[in-house]
Amino acid sequence: MTNWAEKIANDLAETILDVPVYSNVDPNREYSGGETIEFNVQSVEAIPTIKSEIYYNFQLIAATRAPSFSEALELLNELHDPLQNLLDGYVASGDAAAAFISSKEMSADVRGLIEGESFYGILNFSIQEKEEA
C-alpha cells in the first residue's frame, strides 16, 4: 500500500518550487501568511475481488492555503493541471489502476473564534491501487 500523500507531495515539490508542499494537512502548523500546498489521505477502502486481488480506494485532498480567497483559488487553479498530469502518469506507469480529480471547494480557515485568517482551496481526488495477493 502506497503512502500517496507523501508520494504526491514529493513528486510535486520538484515542479512547484516557489510554494512549500507538505504531505499532511496540519491545522497546528504555524501559519506565516504565505501560500502552502498540503496533501492528506481522508480515507482508504479495501475492495477484495474473487481473484484474490485487493483494490485500495484512496480518497485524498490537495489543500492550497493563502492569505486571501482569490490567492487560494488562483493557487488551486495552478495546481489542478500539474496534479492531474501526475495522476495520469501514475496510471500510465501502472502505479495506480485509476486516478481522477472529482471536485473543487473553497473555504475560510477557522481557528477558535477567528475565521478568515487565511483561506483554503481544496481539490478532492481518488486513487485506486491494485495489490496482488
Side-chain angles (χ1 to χ4, degrees):
M1 185 181 315
T2 304
N3 181 343
W4 285 106
E6 184 175 281
K7 181 171 179 53
I8 292 167
N10 290 338
D11 290 347
L12 275 178
E14 296 175 8
T15 61
I16 302 175
L17 300 176
D18 57 339
V19 177
V21 179
Y22 299 99
S23 63
N24 67 332
V25 175
D26 183 358
N28 294 318
R29 183 177 291 121
E30 184 176 340
Y31 182 62
S32 62
E35 295 180 339
T36 62
I37 297 172
E38 303 170 9
F39 291 92
N40 204 52
V41 175
Q42 300 296 88
S43 66
V44 181
E45 178 185 9
I47 304 166
T49 69
I50 199 163
K51 295 180 179 180
S52 298
E53 301 165 331
I54 298 174
Y55 283 86
Y56 292 101
N57 188 22
F58 293 82
Q59 298 298 313
L60 299 103
I61 62 165
T64 61
R65 188 175 188 192
S68 71
F69 183 96
S70 60
E71 290 171 303
L73 179 58
E74 182 179 336
L75 184 57
L76 188 68
N77 289 333
E78 289 174 15
L79 176 62
H80 185 278
D81 288 345
L83 177 59
Q84 187 61 62
N85 291 339
L86 194 60
L87 296 177
D88 292 343
Y90 294 150
V91 173
S93 69
D95 290 338
F100 57 92
I101 296 172
S102 56
S103 66
K104 175 169 54 172
E105 303 171 22
M106 294 295 299
S107 67
D109 181 21
V110 179
R111 290 175 181 260
L113 299 175
I114 300 170
E115 181 175 344
E117 174 187 12
S118 63
F119 291 82
Y120 278 106
I122 297 174
L123 291 174
N124 295 292
F125 63 103
S126 298
I127 298 176
Q128 289 183 341
E129 178 181 7
K130 179 182 173 185
E131 184 176 283
E132 307 268 344

